[in-house]
Amino acid sequence: MVAVTRRKGRVSDGTAGLLLCLVLVLCLACPARAGHLTIDMMVGSRDKHTAWSALLDRFAAANPDIQITHREVPMDLYWQRVGAKAGGPDAPDVAFWDSGKALRDGYVRRMVAPLPSDLARLVRDRFSPPAVDAVTVGAKVVAVPLSTYPWGFFYRKSLFQRLNLAPPRTWEELLAVAAHLKAAGVTPFAYGAQENWPLFAWFDYLDLRLNGLDFHRRLLAGQIPFTDPAAHAVMARWRLLLDRGYFHVPQPGDNWRDTLPYFYHQQVGMLLLGGFAAMHFSPLVRDDVGFIPFPTLTPGMPRYEDAPQDVLVVAPRAAARPEVQRFVRFLAETAELDRFNTDLAMVSPLRDGQRDTGPAPAGAGTFFENAGRQVLEDAAGFAAYFDRDATAPLTAVAGRIFRRFMAPPYDIDAALAELEHARTQETGAVQLGGH
């Protein structure tokens, strides 16, 4: 963790480059003072560090009377060291959080506080309805939207033009495109084998497109058994793609970024990824990359999307503090949140966000913004993503189960039996954090 204190617009680093675990403990033990704001952020990339630090610098410059302690914690440590403290006496004033089940669980366990009525009204007025829905539990607004991004297929426009292919809109069209790609020597799809979450999207979308959002949420919440025929139908569609050899076979150590060279060289046709991937595409191919929603499967089924939303929660003891209120208003009432999301090629959760903010900054992965926003605007509803919606026992084993399913003999019954076993496991643990 790197702790950074900002005061009067100036920045000083505490033992730069080190994970200051001792500092974290000492800082968390210090009670908040008037004119002081402590913010914890999960940071998984240099791009996010740069964008978030720039946003806080601009807030500090606009609020020179507030001393800001900003603590960044790596993704793999965040939920153990910071997120799990969000409701205790040593909590930060404001902290990064996931939408979905983690947010609902945090609220039920009083780790997350409802926003005061004036800030709740501000969120409802300034943020888009889907963003507000994602931070509402019951009738209470319990977080501030920060960023959102849909999942879908990235594809190379030049490859599709060369093969005279149109982006698929239906399952039948997806199968036809995949067949043409394979016949041309291009593997239709790729995924990284090292992480679990890239495969979660395949299950999510096949289930959302076949069975709808309500079924999907109840299935992942453990309310519907995986022995249900509708769950079997999801795996059967997935197996159809596997039986036809439509997936690139990754090396065991490959992560999702390792699929990008195959994509650049047009050896792989489509990647099912979230909008965050846009920042990682080479500038040499960025203008040639298109983005489309996962095709429809069931006629008449409303189109639901995986759209994880990052949010900020406020510690219960800090919800009414003026420093917190000024920070929330800074996010909601200025263009800074739009700029932050533009820098990360994500979609701003503000109403009409990123529409009137001027030219895109040089080097930003902004090609995704319009396409991603359109996917969100056309959606009938949103899932938070498998590991943000599922129970903790299910999330713990599902990645391993799906990775094994991707190898012959593509055993549907074995996969569903293991998922059902995980569904029935009792746990008292709160699931904190997901992709």
Side-chain angles (χ1 to χ4, degrees):
M1 181 196 72
V2 177
V4 179
T5 299
R6 288 169 168 81
R7 190 179 182 89
K8 297 183 180 180
R10 301 185 65 184
V11 181
S12 61
D13 293 339
T15 316
L18 298 177
L19 298 178
L20 301 181
C21 300
L22 178 60
V23 174
L24 172 60
V25 174
L26 293 175
C27 288
L28 286 172
C30 296
R33 308 184 302 277
H36 184 267
L37 186 64
T38 301
I39 304 173
D40 285 350
M41 171 58 69
M42 182 176 75
V43 175
S45 69
R46 181 172 297 179
D47 293 325
K48 188 170 185 179
H49 161 78
T50 300
W52 183 245
S53 295
L55 182 148
L56 291 184
D57 284 343
R58 291 189 285 269
F59 175 72
N63 297 271
D65 57 320
I66 298 178
Q67 179 178 325
I68 305 165
T69 299
H70 166 217
R71 299 189 298 254
E72 293 186 355
V73 182
M75 186 181 301
D76 57 342
L77 301 176
Y78 185 82
W79 295 108
Q80 297 93 322
R81 297 196 178 172
V82 179
K85 300 177 182 292
D90 57 353
D93 301 315
V94 177
F96 173 91
W97 209 262
D98 282 342
S99 62
K101 189 175 185 298
L103 187 60
R104 296 189 296 271
D105 285 345
Y107 175 71
V108 169
R109 292 172 65 95
R110 299 184 180 179
M111 304 167 74
V112 171
L115 297 183
S117 58
D118 57 335
L119 292 186
R121 187 165 50 251
L122 179 69
V123 169
R124 291 191 182 101
D125 289 345
R126 294 289 297 165
F127 290 85
S128 68
V132 175
D133 180 66
V135 297
T136 301
V137 179
K140 301 290 186 180
V141 176
V142 301
V144 180
L146 181 65
S147 296
T148 190
Y149 55 91
W151 280 66
F153 280 120
F154 290 95
Y155 69 99
R156 294 290 302 278
K157 298 174 186 177
S158 60
L159 173 63
F160 274 52
Q161 290 169 356
R162 176 167 62 84
L163 298 180
N164 197 29
L165 297 175
R169 296 168 299 174
T170 67
W171 176 254
E172 291 74 20
E173 291 177 0
L174 180 67
L175 293 179
V177 166
H180 278 87
L181 287 170
K182 187 178 180 183
V186 180
T187 304
F189 312 115
Y191 67 98
Q194 187 181 71
E195 306 105 338
N196 294 328
W197 54 262
L199 290 177
F200 289 161
W202 280 95
F203 182 88
D204 276 2
Y205 269 113
L206 289 168
D207 192 30
L208 288 168
R209 294 294 188 263
L210 281 172
N211 301 317
L213 183 59
D214 181 65
F215 177 91
H216 182 68
R217 285 176 172 168
R218 290 190 293 127
L219 180 69
L220 296 190
Q223 299 168 8
I224 296 175
F226 279 90
T227 53
D228 190 289
H232 190 281
V234 172
M235 303 301 287
R237 294 290 183 119
W238 202 350
R239 177 169 175 166
L240 175 63
L241 302 177
L242 290 164
D243 284 336
R244 295 185 181 183
Y246 287 165
F247 283 91
H248 168 78
V249 179
Q251 296 298 313
D254 285 355
N255 60 38
W256 73 267
R257 292 182 184 86
D258 293 321
T259 66
L260 298 184
Y262 300 103
F263 186 68
Y264 296 157
H265 294 289
Q266 300 190 0
Q267 296 171 339
V268 162
M270 290 178 279
L271 300 175
L272 181 60
L273 288 170
F276 59 86
M279 279 299 295
H280 298 273
F281 290 134
S282 167
L284 298 177
V285 304
R286 193 171 290 164
D287 290 341
D288 188 43
V289 176
F291 180 81
I292 57 170
F294 197 99
T296 60
L297 273 74
T298 302
M301 175 67 70
R303 210 189 75 212
Y304 303 110
E305 302 294 346
D306 259 342
Q309 183 157 281
D310 296 339
V311 304
L312 296 174
V313 299
V314 178
R317 58 162 176 73
R321 290 184 53 230
E323 296 83 5
V324 170
Q325 299 216 356
R326 284 161 65 179
F327 183 62
V328 173
R329 291 190 179 279
F330 176 80
L331 296 176
E333 296 179 340
T334 73
E336 297 302 335
L337 192 57
D338 285 345
R339 184 186 299 187
F340 170 76
N341 281 285
T342 292
D343 288 346
L344 293 177
M346 292 191 180
V347 178
S348 170
L350 289 167
R351 290 181 185 265
D352 299 322
Q354 295 165 300
R355 294 187 186 277
D356 301 309
T357 55
T366 54
F367 81 93
F368 169 73
E369 290 169 5
N370 290 337
R373 179 172 288 280
Q374 192 64 52
V375 168
L376 294 176
E377 290 179 351
D378 292 344
F382 301 104
Y385 200 71
F386 188 103
D387 56 1
R388 297 191 184 197
D389 282 330
T391 63
L394 184 57
T395 299
V397 300
R400 171 178 54 81
I401 294 169
F402 291 150
R403 279 187 285 140
R404 186 159 58 243
F405 174 69
M406 299 297 288
Y410 316 128
D411 193 331
I412 294 176
D413 291 336
L416 290 175
E418 288 190 84
L419 291 169
E420 176 62 11
H421 177 74
R423 184 189 72 88
T424 61
Q425 298 306 296
E426 295 292 330
T427 178
V430 172
Q431 181 178 338
L432 294 174
H435 183 69

